[in-house]
Amino acid sequence: MSSKNKKYKYTRQLLKLAIENSGYRNVDIAVKARLSDKSVAQVSRWRNGQKEATEAQMAYFIKEYGHLLKRRMEHLFSYQEEVNGTIDVKYRKLSGEVIFKHQVRVPSRKGKSIGSTALTRLVVIDNEHKYHIIRQIRGGLTQVQLRERNYPTVFHSDNEEANWFAYSIEKDLDLDEVVASFKNFIASLLNGQNPVDDLYWGKRQTQNDSQVFLQTQTQPIEYCLFQKMMKLGLSCDSFPFE
């Protein structure tokens, strides 16, 4: 395939950036892509991901916004690793578009007030229709905080991504594997087989009810994931909807 006709796989993401930064209308995008100003239906298909433009059609937007897209499509995750008896913080870079990010919050006490604190998080990244799933635990969490339901020293950075450590990274999954991994994540929270419950007990847990998470806290994440997949137009045999 010639470069003139080669499809640009990040059409939707690049146009979204262009609109966010410069307020382009569909008719403006059509003109910049060297289409007729009446080709707004084609632009709509690009924007909702139904079709991909060619690299030639996206040339103006690649030149003007490609550097912004690259930044948005690269993600840094920190994780902890024991090395020679000490815990080191290390980093992993993943590429793709974050399509889902959800925190699981639990009740927390602060004096006489009752609030909530996010203790774990699930992130899904789409990298050319291969998916990465990152499970994370809140930095700064301790056994004492978990048992007292009071979390004064968990990480509170202005950069939200710095508040989390990855404890599981699965790469290059298909959608059926994403659903299976997601169900495993929920089950691990409820049956206590997760790093938060391990920290609560001070040891690795086998089958046991969680001392931290309840189904009322995990159920919403299932709806949010499937709703997001539906809105993105994704489908697989494991989705609970047609």
Side-chain angles (χ1 to χ4, degrees):
M1 181 181 292
S2 69
S3 58
K4 181 178 179 181
N5 297 318
K6 185 178 179 181
K7 296 296 184 181
Y8 184 67
K9 60 189 177 184
Y10 296 125
T11 299
R12 178 176 63 83
Q13 295 92 335
L14 185 61
L15 292 181
K16 181 179 179 181
L17 265 177
I19 292 168
E20 289 175 356
N21 283 272
S22 302
Y24 287 106
R25 302 167 300 165
N26 283 7
V27 63
D28 303 321
I29 293 171
V31 172
K32 293 294 186 183
R34 299 181 181 178
L35 301 177
S36 163
D37 58 5
K38 296 180 181 179
S39 301
V40 292
Q42 174 77 340
V43 173
S44 293
R45 288 190 286 271
W46 290 347
R47 289 183 59 188
N48 62 28
Q50 291 179 331
K51 296 288 184 180
E52 293 178 346
T54 65
E55 289 186 356
Q57 290 168 326
M58 288 291 99
Y60 168 81
F61 297 102
I62 293 171
K63 178 181 177 182
E64 296 296 323
Y65 303 101
H67 63 292
L68 297 177
L69 181 63
K70 183 178 180 180
R71 291 182 205 164
R72 181 169 291 191
M73 301 292 279
E74 292 184 341
H75 312 280
L76 188 66
F77 295 92
S78 59
Y79 64 97
Q80 295 177 304
E81 184 175 278
E82 185 173 345
V83 179
N84 298 324
T86 61
I87 302 298
D88 288 350
V89 176
K90 298 192 174 183
Y91 298 90
R92 183 86 173 266
K93 184 174 78 171
L94 296 175
S95 297
E97 180 185 11
V98 174
I99 60 172
F100 183 76
K101 188 184 293 183
H102 192 95
Q103 300 176 354
V104 180
R105 307 182 71 87
V106 301
S108 59
R109 300 190 184 104
K110 188 174 182 180
K112 296 182 179 180
S113 301
I114 301 295
S116 66
T117 301
L119 299 186
T120 188
R121 188 170 76 158
L122 186 73
V123 180
V124 181
I125 295 175
D126 178 358
N127 185 33
E128 300 182 40
H129 306 304
K130 284 294 184 180
Y131 302 88
H132 311 322
I133 293 186
I134 303 92
R135 304 182 191 186
Q136 297 174 297
I137 184 173
R138 187 72 172 266
L141 197 57
T142 66
Q143 183 184 57
V144 171
Q145 291 179 96
L146 285 168
R147 295 199 167 191
E148 294 181 353
R149 313 289 184 185
N150 184 18
Y151 307 97
T153 63
V154 295
F155 290 0
H156 288 286
S157 171
D158 290 339
N159 182 342
E160 176 62 21
E161 302 310 310
N163 291 330
W164 301 93
F165 288 123
Y167 67 87
S168 170
I169 297 177
E170 299 173 278
K171 293 186 62 180
D172 300 326
L173 307 182
D174 62 29
L175 284 174
D176 286 305
E177 290 171 326
V178 168
V179 174
S181 176
F182 163 75
K183 290 182 177 179
N184 176 268
F185 171 67
I186 296 300
S188 73
L189 297 184
L190 295 178
N191 64 27
Q193 297 184 56
N194 62 80
V196 179
D197 274 284
D198 291 347
L199 191 58
Y200 180 94
W201 290 109
K203 60 182 179 179
R204 175 71 63 182
Q205 290 300 291
T206 55
Q207 192 74 19
N208 193 17
D209 288 341
S210 175
Q211 296 297 308
V212 182
F213 301 107
L214 300 173
Q215 188 169 10
T216 53
Q217 295 150 3
T218 61
Q219 185 65 40
I221 192 175
E222 181 173 357
Y223 177 88
C224 293
L225 176 69
F226 290 137
Q227 182 192 53
K228 183 64 175 183
M229 297 299 185
M230 181 187 69
K231 288 185 177 296
L232 289 173
L234 301 175
S235 64
C236 71
D237 292 340
S238 299
F239 284 173
F241 54 85
E242 298 180 357

